[in-house]
Amino acid sequence: MKRLYEIDHPYYGPEGYTEDLESFAELREVVEASDEDMSFVYRWDWFDYSRPQHDSLFVEGEDRSKQELRLFMVQPRKSQFWIVTCPVTHGQHDEVLTWLRGPRVLGALRKLWEPLLDGEPS
């Protein structure tokens, strides 16, 4: 399995209200405190600016050491998008992966799609 920072999702998430947070712990706290029925995390991007897919964003010699996690949330009742970001490092990979697979993110999506996940496809 690829590491989260090795995945280059096609296209990019939409613009919306962006909240820049100081740490992954703070991001987790903010997302966990939001109502999971009103704020669905539907996409994540881990930007490791040293990776080749980001070459076009930098000029020669520019600092490319930054890494950033972005979570894209849809708020259906408000008809808006909410993006939360924080700095991350490769050393946090397992912590971030475990949380994304946990009840607040993947668990909430499974709950929403549960009727389609149970049983055999027709």
Side-chain angles (χ1 to χ4, degrees):
M1 181 176 135
K2 286 185 176 182
R3 306 293 246 166
L4 296 174
Y5 49 83
E6 295 173 332
I7 297 168
D8 185 19
H9 289 138
Y11 306 104
Y12 53 87
E15 300 296 319
Y17 172 71
T18 302
E19 190 169 351
D20 297 317
L21 304 170
E22 298 293 321
S23 68
F24 178 62
E26 185 181 6
L27 180 142
R28 237 184 9 243
E29 185 178 306
V30 165
V31 173
E32 296 278 348
S34 69
D35 184 334
E36 75 179 36
D37 294 325
M38 293 288 290
S39 300
F40 286 98
V41 177
Y42 73 92
R43 179 189 173 113
W44 57 268
D45 286 315
W46 184 311
F47 291 98
D48 175 351
Y49 292 105
S50 68
R51 308 263 322 149
Q53 64 260 30
H54 302 297
D55 286 348
S56 65
L57 301 176
F58 296 90
V59 296
E60 186 66 34
E62 200 172 2
D63 180 19
R64 297 177 62 164
S65 62
K66 182 180 173 183
Q67 294 180 54
E68 177 181 73
L69 178 67
R70 290 184 194 167
L71 294 186
F72 294 85
M73 303 173 79
V74 64
Q75 297 180 307
R77 298 278 299 169
K78 297 180 180 182
S79 299
Q80 67 185 22
F81 295 102
W82 176 29
I83 300 114
V84 289
T85 71
C86 72
V88 287
T89 65
H90 288 176
Q92 292 176 286
H93 177 269
D94 292 344
E95 177 186 11
V96 173
L97 179 62
T98 298
W99 183 74
L100 288 173
R101 286 179 168 169
R104 178 56 183 92
V105 179
L106 190 55
L109 289 172
R110 278 191 180 121
K111 180 179 169 186
L112 177 67
W113 289 93
E114 188 173 36
L116 301 180
L117 297 174
D118 290 341
E120 296 295 317
S122 51

